[in-house]
Amino acid sequence: MRRKVLYLLTLFIFLISLTSCDIQIGDIFGSNSSDELTPSIDSTEEPTNSQDVEPTIEPSSTTPSIAETPTPTPTPTIEVTPTPTPTPYIEEDGEELLKNNSFDSLNSWTIYNDGNVSQKVVSNGNGVLKLEINNKNSAQNWSVQCLQNGIILENGKEYELSFEITSSYTRSIQFLIQQDTSYSPIPFNKTYSLNANEPLIVKEKFIVDQTSTYLYGFMLGNVNGTLNDNHIITIKNPSLLGDKLEIESQEGLDGTYDAATTSKNGKTLVWNDEFNSTTLDETKWTHQIGNGSGGWGNNELQYYTSSTSNSYVSNGSLKIVARKESMNSYNYTSARIITKDKYEFKYGYIEARMALPSMNGIWPAFWMLGADIDENPWPFSGEIDIMEAINYNNEIYSTIHWNQGSSYSHAYTGTSAINVGNRCEYHTYALDWTSTKLTFYVDGTEIYSVDISTNSSMSCFNNEFYILFNVAVGGNWPGFNIGDSFPQAMSVDYIRVYQ
């Protein structure tokens, strides 16, 4: 009994002594209640990166002992950056062409009446002009005018007019842009209905087809037979902006890829355009104008212009821009440029680096036509489509056309749809052309080859060809369901020919 009491007393003293140490009872008796004893290994699957590679995390084959517990290795993070939708360009306002549009002074403005009516300036300044008008005896829309003369506008360029106008009386007004002295042409002419004391904000675009001096004019007389008593017309912030400046909105489309290499595929650079100037080189390129015959044979819907709103060079690349706007009874404008009579060649390696538009009904192309097309009409002269794309799919096509036999018999062969990833980003499209074969490439990878040596009808491909770039809208191939995301631009960083 005495030994048992002594044993219990000794055990009690031992346990009391443990309370003064940093040792837990569980450390001695092996309790597994602590969360720190077994480190967790996070094997959660990471999102894929842009190359669809999944990171792999291998858990340790053994659980480390307590004394050797390592700091867990952080799970690697692979950031997936989504591919942005490229915007080929943005627009910045052009130069203001009106003088004194603040109305702080009426210099450069003419306020006119024909003597049958009266008008007077109530106030002017801070961008606002107020006129008191009595149209009771007015017979003509031009009986009262507020206008500015002597504005030089250039052929083929696009301009934007804007203003805000209010009448204290319900009536109509006419606004026009017209030639200064002969009063023709009139590139813009529109009548607006005004409700009493309700401001009307106007913003319109127009294209000039003759370089001349023009007037910017409000016709405030008897428009549409609205005879009215004394009332106030308020004109606010009139503006006439010059041709818009279109600039890159994305670094990837700035056209600064590389300098022209002097050789490629064993051939030497013989002709190129890097588009590094500020204007299109007219010693190399010619604009084709209009809608051709039957919509260029394809029932296309656009009217091709030489306007800098449809084709221009900036930031190291050529832009061809399709727009939704009316011209010569067509609802769309665009551009088509060719090297015909300026550069024609036979055989070689031709390559262009391009970013393409994408929308239902859009049809960008990089192609060639036989230089003898005037003597041997299509398809006898031959056609080589290095790259065509339609609508919004990320697919391109390479095709050749020729005439099979002596009488008209159109023949063609080419690729099926070739997926290029995001076609709105830059890719290179190329053709290696020899006397026996045509081989097509995308980003340096061969996509199609055709032997032209075994068919005598393909002899047209042993003649000289010229180069074309264009963006069509609608037609037999893309169809006539046209999207509404205009403008649509094709960017060309460079074009190079090696022989």
Side-chain angles (χ1 to χ4, degrees):
M1 180 66 177
R2 185 177 300 173
R3 289 179 180 175
K4 186 174 183 181
V5 171
L6 181 61
Y7 173 79
L8 290 176
L9 179 60
T10 302
L11 179 62
F12 176 76
I13 294 170
F14 174 74
L15 291 175
I16 291 298
S17 68
L18 290 179
T19 62
S20 63
C21 301
D22 292 331
I23 302 175
Q24 302 294 321
I25 299 297
D27 292 339
I28 298 175
F29 294 103
S31 169
N32 201 28
S33 62
S34 172
D35 291 338
E36 295 180 359
L37 293 180
T38 305
S40 64
I41 299 177
D42 184 3
S43 60
T44 303
E45 182 178 326
E46 293 289 324
T48 60
N49 63 10
S50 58
Q51 284 75 41
D52 293 330
V53 177
E54 297 184 1
T56 302
I57 302 172
E58 297 290 346
S60 174
S61 59
T62 59
T63 302
S65 64
I66 303 305
E68 297 174 344
T69 301
T71 302
T73 302
T75 300
T77 300
I78 298 178
E79 296 184 358
V80 180
T81 303
T83 302
T85 300
T87 303
Y89 60 91
I90 57 175
E91 291 187 342
E92 290 187 347
D93 286 341
E95 177 187 4
E96 177 60 62
L97 301 179
L98 291 183
K99 299 176 181 178
N100 297 322
N101 63 340
S102 65
F103 291 124
D104 290 339
S105 162
L106 293 181
N107 293 339
S108 304
W109 291 95
T110 299
I111 300 173
Y112 164 87
N113 73 75
D114 65 359
N116 295 316
V117 295
S118 63
Q119 103 288 319
K120 67 178 181 180
V121 175
V122 176
S123 63
N124 61 280
N126 296 317
V128 180
L129 172 65
K130 287 189 176 183
L131 297 173
E132 182 179 343
I133 299 174
N134 181 354
N135 278 354
K136 194 167 186 178
N137 297 316
S138 169
Q140 306 293 338
N141 59 347
W142 43 262
S143 294
V144 180
Q145 302 176 29
C146 175
L147 54 89
Q148 185 169 136
N149 302 82
I151 303 169
I152 298 175
L153 305 181
E154 297 181 42
N155 174 43
K157 290 195 173 182
E158 181 182 67
Y159 298 88
E160 182 178 279
L161 64 90
S162 61
F163 56 85
E164 179 181 316
I165 190 165
T166 309
S167 172
S168 63
Y169 190 99
T170 297
R171 58 160 298 170
S172 297
I173 65 106
Q174 180 185 12
F175 180 87
L176 53 80
I177 304 286
Q178 74 174 27
Q179 208 274 342
D180 221 348
T181 54
S182 65
Y183 307 119
S184 178
I186 305 176
F188 187 87
N189 185 1
K190 194 167 184 178
T191 297
Y192 300 94
S193 296
L194 304 178
N195 294 322
N197 300 313
E198 292 184 7
L200 174 68
I201 298 175
V202 172
K203 191 173 185 178
E204 306 267 13
K205 294 179 181 179
F206 64 96
I207 294 176
V208 170
D209 59 11
Q210 178 179 319
T211 299
S212 186
T213 57
Y214 290 80
L215 64 82
Y216 177 104
F218 298 87
M219 303 294 111
L220 305 175
N222 184 15
V223 179
N224 290 344
T226 52
L227 297 176
N228 19 67
D229 294 325
N230 285 12
H231 61 284
I232 300 294
I233 291 284
T234 303
I235 300 171
K236 182 183 290 187
N237 299 323
S239 176
L240 179 60
L241 296 179
D243 207 38
K244 284 184 174 292
L245 175 66
E246 292 163 343
I247 63 171
E248 303 302 337
S249 65
Q250 176 175 331
E251 185 178 359
L253 294 182
D254 64 2
T256 55
Y257 179 60
D258 61 5
T261 54
T262 57
S263 63
K264 191 155 193 173
N265 288 11
K267 298 177 174 65
T268 301
L269 183 68
V270 294
W271 184 91
N272 67 307
D273 197 336
E274 303 299 308
F275 302 110
N276 287 331
S277 63
T278 57
T279 59
L280 187 67
D281 187 346
E282 295 184 354
T283 67
K284 297 178 178 179
W285 302 99
T286 300
H287 282 93
Q288 288 192 294
I289 308 299
N291 186 255
S293 175
W296 300 98
N298 303 303
N299 293 311
E300 297 166 26
L301 303 179
Q302 79 291 329
Y303 188 91
Y304 287 133
T305 82
S306 59
S307 168
T308 53
S309 68
N310 294 120
S311 59
Y312 66 98
V313 174
S314 73
N315 294 345
S317 61
L318 164 70
K319 300 294 187 299
I320 294 182
V321 185
R323 296 179 179 276
K324 186 177 182 180
E325 58 187 359
S326 297
M327 177 169 286
N328 294 339
S329 77
Y330 296 94
N331 294 325
Y332 307 95
T333 63
S334 187
R336 169 168 160 154
I337 61 172
I338 65 176
T339 65
K340 188 173 185 286
D341 299 326
K342 294 181 177 179
Y343 181 68
E344 298 163 353
F345 72 105
K346 180 172 68 172
Y347 309 146
Y349 187 89
I350 177 173
E351 179 181 85
R353 182 171 182 258
M354 308 168 64
L356 308 180
S358 177
M359 183 191 73
N360 212 47
I362 208 73
W363 184 2
F366 164 37
W367 53 305
M368 300 197 297
L369 283 172
D372 62 347
I373 192 170
D374 293 338
E375 296 76 34
N376 291 307
W378 186 94
F380 291 88
S381 56
E383 175 180 333
I384 304 173
D385 300 321
I386 301 173
M387 186 289 305
E388 291 182 285
I390 58 170
N391 301 325
Y392 52 80
N393 297 326
N394 288 316
E395 299 167 341
I396 66 96
Y397 301 82
S398 298
T399 314
I400 64 171
H401 303 257
W402 71 98
N403 194 77
Q404 185 68 37
S406 57
S407 59
Y408 179 89
S409 179
H410 171 217
Y412 65 92
T413 185
T415 66
S416 56
I418 302 296
N419 192 298
V420 296
N422 188 344
R423 84 185 205 189
C424 298
E425 295 178 346
Y426 273 119
H427 297 276
T428 58
Y429 303 97
L431 165 71
D432 194 2
W433 175 19
T434 71
S435 61
T436 59
K437 189 188 297 185
L438 296 170
T439 306
F440 298 85
Y441 298 84
V442 174
D443 293 331
T445 299
E446 179 181 333
I447 60 169
Y448 183 67
S449 182
V450 56
D451 188 340
I452 59 173
S453 65
T454 59
N455 186 340
S456 61
S457 295
M458 290 184 171
S459 61
C460 58
F461 298 115
N462 297 119
N463 298 328
E464 289 190 339
F465 277 63
Y466 63 89
I467 305 163
L468 302 91
F469 286 118
N470 70 283
V471 176
V473 180
N476 298 336
W477 190 17
F480 303 96
N481 181 20
I482 311 303
D484 203 37
S485 301
F486 286 94
Q488 287 284 323
M490 177 173 77
S491 298
V492 183
D493 182 15
Y494 62 74
I495 179 170
R496 299 167 185 169
V497 177
Y498 302 85
Q499 287 181 327

